[in-house]
Amino acid sequence: MMMMNQMGVPAPLKLELPLTRYSTAAATPRFMRMRCALNSDDSPMPVPPMTVSITGATGFIGRRLVQKLLSDDHKVCVLTRSASKAASVFPASTYPGVTIAQEGDWEACVKASSAVVNLAGMPISTRWSPEIKREIKQSRINVTSKVVKYINNAQKADVRPSVFVSATAIGYYGTSEIHSFDESSPSGNDYLAEVCREWEARAREVNQEDVRLVLLRIGVVLGKDGGALAKMIPLFMMFAGGPLGTGRQWFSWIHLDDIVNLIYESIANPAYKGVINGTAPNPVRLSELCERLGQVVGRPSWLPVPEFALKAVLGEGASVVLEGQKVLPKKAKELGFSYTYPYVDGALKAIARDL
């Protein structure tokens, strides 16, 4: 049975909750503005130990975030609807710092956490039927509403979260081949913009007098084990890679390591607040991405995928790859966030080394 460990302070408050095969919890002290400051000799001070509850922890971003938190000696509570799936991703023998909580135990884990990160949501790269479109929206809104309710219910307790990092997406801005967008730009008027507005509205219902809210509008995440590249690389290796549609659509990307570091910094640094675009500072046209990827994997980018073929496979969902937006991370740059991969060449080369 996986136990939520304490945070290394004397006499922690104990929290009782019903036990399941997968979940128990112990309360931890409130997370108090745990910023990576500098000490007298200008070396970074470590972030004090914390417990972080995460939805979507078994996903592409979530798995890497859990690994980073554990590597820095923090504890993680995985909020899941499938304890068996979560246990297969995070086996107790390998992840002793992880608690797996089924839905009935979410509230207890949230109340006992220093911070909460919300990454849950049904993937959008699929054919959009009316039922799928409803599920895309509801999967985000329902989980966000539930987590916000648990955070707000915890505000009278001695132990409660002080920061809520909720993922959203750059789809908020709509699409354009000629305009660029930053955190001050208005929302678009298409389906994904509508989803993002409602998603963010539910997150904003958290009690912001006591809880610092960070809304991360995340771009296309690049990594070898998931996201767009996991589907594109096999095509290139078969000499079938190429731009989708015209190739002129903007591709606002971010490397997996950088988005995980941005989430981590959003948890730890009290200067991070409000909307922050989770994209690299140098977006590219999709044709350039495909050309660079072809060069990195040693395969030509010569066979464009026609628009009609994508629409035949994905229907309305083809808009995710046929239309794009140029999104700039103005807020992250102002906050001094340091990108490991500011340019797509470096990001792709790093990914290719692991193939």
Side-chain angles (χ1 to χ4, degrees):
M1 183 176 295
M2 288 167 280
M3 304 292 291
M4 182 179 293
N5 295 336
Q6 294 142 1
M7 292 170 48
V9 295
L13 177 67
K14 294 293 184 181
L15 177 66
E16 299 296 332
L17 79 162
L19 302 184
T20 72
R21 179 183 174 191
Y22 296 100
S23 175
T24 65
T28 53
R30 187 182 181 187
F31 175 40
M32 298 295 292
R33 295 183 175 271
M34 296 177 177
R35 183 179 181 180
C36 292
L38 297 179
N39 62 19
S40 59
D41 63 359
D42 290 336
S43 60
M45 294 178 62
V47 177
M50 54 186 173
T51 297
V52 182
S53 284
I54 304 175
T55 68
T58 60
F60 179 41
I61 299 173
R63 294 193 304 269
R64 185 67 67 88
L65 177 62
V66 169
Q67 291 167 0
K68 179 172 178 60
L69 288 165
L70 295 178
S71 70
D72 284 353
D73 295 325
H74 304 298
K75 305 302 179 188
V76 173
C77 184
V78 172
L79 307 180
T80 182
R81 291 184 296 178
S82 175
S84 58
K85 177 183 177 181
S88 68
V89 175
F90 304 112
S93 57
T94 310
Y95 295 90
V98 169
T99 296
I100 295 176
Q102 298 183 96
E103 283 192 84
D105 293 334
W106 283 20
E107 183 167 11
C109 281
V110 166
K111 287 182 177 180
S113 296
S114 316
V116 179
V117 177
N118 179 30
L119 299 174
M122 178 184 179
I124 63 174
S125 297
T126 184
R127 187 176 183 87
W128 292 354
S129 65
E131 293 77 16
I132 290 296
K133 289 176 71 173
R134 282 194 294 272
E135 181 62 21
I136 286 172
K137 181 187 290 188
Q138 291 304 316
S139 65
R140 288 159 172 78
I141 291 173
N142 292 346
V143 171
T144 303
S145 296
K146 183 177 295 188
V147 170
V148 165
K149 180 180 74 171
Y150 295 154
I151 294 173
N152 289 343
N153 287 348
Q155 293 310 297
K156 295 182 180 180
D158 292 332
V159 180
R160 57 196 184 271
S162 65
V163 58
F164 178 40
V165 180
S166 193
T168 170
I170 59 173
Y172 174 92
Y173 301 110
T175 62
S176 176
E177 287 190 5
I178 59 175
H179 297 112
S180 60
F181 305 93
D182 62 27
E183 289 86 352
S184 65
S185 299
S187 180
N189 56 13
D190 58 15
Y191 165 70
L192 289 180
E194 175 189 326
V195 170
C196 291
R197 285 194 303 271
E198 294 193 32
W199 195 3
E200 293 185 11
R202 298 304 174 97
R204 293 182 192 275
E205 293 176 1
V206 76
N207 181 3
Q208 295 182 53
E209 291 185 4
D210 296 315
V211 179
R212 177 168 54 87
L213 173 64
V214 182
L215 292 169
L216 286 180
R217 291 177 183 157
I218 299 175
V220 181
V221 180
L222 301 183
K224 73 179 183 67
D225 295 324
L229 278 191
K231 298 177 181 179
M232 294 173 70
I233 288 175
L235 294 176
F236 276 86
M237 301 307 286
M238 293 187 298
F239 294 90
L244 308 176
T246 67
R248 288 192 49 78
Q249 61 270 49
W250 281 101
F251 192 84
S252 294
W253 61 278
I254 187 168
H255 190 281
L256 177 60
D257 289 349
D258 280 330
I259 191 60
V260 167
N261 288 338
L262 185 60
I263 295 170
Y264 188 95
E265 191 70 9
S266 297
I267 297 170
N269 190 333
Y272 285 61
K273 189 175 183 179
V275 174
I276 299 174
N277 286 335
T279 60
N282 298 287
V284 295
R285 301 276 187 180
L286 187 59
S287 57
E288 180 181 348
L289 174 82
C290 291
E291 181 182 353
R292 297 286 185 269
L293 180 57
Q295 292 170 352
V296 166
V297 299
R299 298 290 191 275
S301 173
W302 61 272
L303 185 61
V305 180
E307 182 174 325
F308 74 84
L310 282 168
K311 288 185 175 179
V313 174
L314 296 177
E316 190 181 353
S319 63
V320 174
V321 291
L322 291 174
E323 303 172 11
Q325 56 278 101
K326 184 181 182 181
V327 178
L328 303 174
K330 180 180 178 182
K331 186 77 172 290
K333 293 177 71 176
E334 289 174 350
L335 289 164
F337 179 75
S338 178
Y339 287 86
T340 304
Y341 303 102
Y343 296 97
V344 75
D345 274 358
L348 294 176
K349 287 176 182 176
I351 293 166
R353 284 196 296 267
D354 295 331
L355 294 178

